[in-house]
Amino acid sequence: MARKVRTIEMQRLTVEEFREAAKLPLVVVLDDVRSMYNVGSVLRTADTFRVEAVCLCGITSTPPSAEIHKTALGAEDSVSWRYYPTAVEAVRDLQQQGYTVYSVEQVEHSTKLQRFQAEEGRRYAVVLGNEVKGVHQEVVDASDGCLEIPQLGTKHSMNVSVTAGIVIYKFAEQLILE
């Protein structure tokens, strides 16, 4: 039977080491995400895979916040984040910096996530939308493309933090994990 590894045995990075470490060439953009718990969860997942940064847009709350900290567990201190008044502004800024931006949304002509192949040497950003309304249409329009997670059940959407975990893992799997 396998023994669980204790936290002290994991030899995790310090916040300072994290900031200096090589990053997954991915920025996560949150478009009007209303739940601070979802924001914290996305930050924690971003820490797990050393995501380059998270953009918090519109009504999306920013640290410091007890609710964000409850799920981020300190990732709000390690992961680089910045605020934009709108996700469109974030998308345009990232595109000017050379990022290829994908909205994660159910749209005509989307690329199914399982068929997406990230290219080595490119920098990416993914936009995740509001828990009820998804990614705003004008953000979809400004994006370079859309990724869609296939859904086989009766529901038409997933929690935004779950979606973030799936999408971030897909990029990490292709670009930094062995």
Side-chain angles (χ1 to χ4, degrees), residues 29 31 57 86-105 107 125-127 135-147:
V29 178
D31 179 13
C57 306
T86 69
V88 170
E89 291 173 70
V91 166
R92 290 190 178 131
D93 186 37
L94 289 162
Q95 288 168 327
Q96 288 177 351
Q97 295 176 51
Y99 289 85
T100 301
V101 179
Y102 289 97
S103 285
V104 180
E105 190 57 85
V107 301
V126 291
V127 183
V135 178
H136 287 97
Q137 184 64 52
E138 60 269 18
V139 178
V140 169
D141 294 342
S143 297
D144 298 302
C146 289
L147 300 175

Side-chain angles (χ1 to χ4, degrees), residues 13-73:
L13 300 176
T14 65
V15 171
E16 295 76 27
E17 290 169 333
F18 180 93
R19 289 183 182 147
E20 297 299 319
K23 302 292 188 294
L24 175 65
L26 179 69
V27 171
V28 176
V29 178
L30 299 183
D31 179 13
D32 281 344
V33 171
R34 64 184 181 185
S35 166
M36 288 184 263
Y37 299 117
N38 282 334
V39 174
S41 183
V42 170
L43 286 166
R44 189 167 164 192
T45 302
D47 175 280
T48 298
F49 293 103
R50 277 196 247 150
V51 165
E52 194 175 302
V54 175
C55 298
L56 308 171
C57 306
I59 67 167
T60 308
S61 292
T62 62
S65 158
E67 290 87 353
I68 290 173
H69 180 73
K70 184 172 184 173
T71 51
L73 296 178

